[in-house]
Amino acid sequence: MKNWKKIELFFMALLIVIMLVAIYALSTIFKEYHDGRAAYSSLDAYVFLPPEPTTNPVNRQPSDAAPSEVPEETFELGAAPVVDFPSLKAQSSDCVGWIYSPQTAINYPLVKGADNDFYQSHMFNGTANKCGAIFLDCLNAGDLSDQNTLVYGHHMKNGSMFASIVGYAQQDYYEAHPAYWVVTPDQNYQVSIFSAFLTDTESDVWQMSFASTDAFGKWLDTMTRRSFIKSDVVPTVNDRVITLSTCSYETENARFVVMGILQPAS
């Protein structure tokens, strides 16, 4: 009986240790989420967001159409955010822009580091945090001048960072959010989305430049054909593409990407 009692006490102690470790791990995760939200929310002081646009019904029916017919809806992106880049750069010299998608969680600074590892585990201001940052591929030009600019962000379980872009697997989500803003110190860009799909780390999605316009055109056609969504946006070889990427969990190296064309705003 004494041996059974000892075994029982051992397993009770082991269970308590496991519970304490689990509680500690969860509290660490929640703290990082909280610290991440607080850090990025503090940047609101440097960004003026215009009133969010709405999807407005517009009657496109002929004048003799039955009045009971439901009008189509059109999306209006609204004005670009106004960003205080000198203040942001004082916090991080790696800051190259700002990305803003109305009516979503995407409202973050864009950074470009010396490699593609640092900002996976560090926030915009360099503080270690698993939320990371929204960052350009280190091999891309910081002025978005490449034919394809790659932008990475974590798929956070609390919906922050780039978690929301997986919504573009659905046509109705795309129709509600067909465009977003990328603002740099030199130019405001409206990004019109033309493709969204699941891929992997070995895909040709990650190509940044092309040997010829013909090669670029064939690549654009391939990217468009893979799309889960239908878009009226047709990219040309004269366009520049920006590709948003986040982890997906169908396979070990799965990535969900959303591709759009950069259109300078007047």
Side-chain angles (χ1 to χ4, degrees), residues 3-266:
N3 289 337
W4 281 109
K5 188 67 173 178
K6 289 180 179 179
I7 293 172
E8 184 178 285
L9 289 173
F10 170 78
F11 280 106
M12 286 181 63
L14 181 62
L15 180 60
I16 291 172
V17 170
I18 292 172
M19 289 177 61
L20 290 174
V21 170
I23 291 170
Y24 175 78
L26 286 173
S27 65
T28 300
I29 291 171
F30 289 140
K31 183 178 186 304
E32 288 207 321
Y33 278 4
H34 175 270
D35 291 349
R37 281 191 178 277
Y40 283 111
S41 293
S42 70
L43 300 180
D44 290 349
Y46 308 117
V47 181
F48 173 77
L49 297 180
E52 286 198 338
T54 57
T55 304
N56 298 317
V58 175
N59 196 336
R60 299 184 183 278
Q61 303 293 335
S63 57
D64 59 351
S68 60
E69 292 186 24
V70 178
E72 296 180 10
E73 293 185 334
T74 102
F75 175 82
E76 294 181 1
L77 183 58
V82 178
V83 182
D84 179 2
F85 281 111
S87 295
L88 289 176
K89 283 182 172 292
Q91 294 195 40
S92 172
S93 60
D94 288 340
C95 180
V96 296
W98 191 275
I99 183 170
Y100 170 59
S101 179
Q103 299 174 339
T104 77
I106 297 176
N107 183 37
Y108 296 106
L110 290 171
V111 292
K112 177 177 177 290
D115 55 47
N116 289 337
D117 295 325
F118 182 79
Y119 284 114
Q120 290 191 48
S121 58
H122 292 78
M123 293 188 292
F124 162 82
N125 59 9
T127 301
N129 188 296
K130 290 181 180 178
C131 292
I134 305 301
F135 63 98
L136 272 62
D137 193 288
C138 65
L139 298 180
N140 272 126
D143 62 358
L144 313 181
S145 58
D146 290 318
Q147 288 169 298
N148 182 29
T149 296
L150 306 172
V151 182
Y152 309 112
H154 283 314
H155 185 167
M156 301 299 291
K157 291 182 179 180
N158 65 352
S160 63
M161 310 311 286
F162 269 0
S164 63
I165 72 169
V166 298
Y168 285 101
Q170 304 299 323
Q171 185 69 22
D172 57 352
Y173 188 88
Y174 162 72
E175 291 174 356
H177 311 91
Y180 60 92
W181 286 106
V182 169
V183 177
T184 73
D186 301 316
Q187 180 69 58
N188 296 341
Y189 295 96
Q190 177 177 319
V191 181
S192 298
I193 295 167
F194 68 88
S195 186
F197 55 91
L198 192 66
T199 187
D200 59 52
T201 54
E202 301 301 319
S203 168
D204 54 354
V205 168
W206 318 113
Q207 189 168 347
M208 301 175 191
S209 59
F210 301 83
S212 66
T213 55
D214 183 61
F216 186 37
K218 289 180 179 178
W219 181 85
L220 289 172
D221 289 342
T222 299
M223 299 302 107
T224 301
R225 287 197 305 270
R226 291 180 185 170
S227 184
F228 292 166
I229 58 173
K230 294 181 179 179
S231 171
D232 292 332
V233 179
V234 179
T236 74
V237 294
N238 296 316
D239 291 319
R240 284 178 286 161
V241 174
I242 185 166
T243 299
L244 311 184
S245 171
T246 197
C247 288
S248 193
Y249 302 109
E250 289 78 3
T251 62
E252 182 179 355
N253 294 316
R255 300 290 185 272
F256 193 84
V257 296
V258 176
M259 310 182 82
I261 57 174
L262 287 161
Q263 299 170 308
S266 56

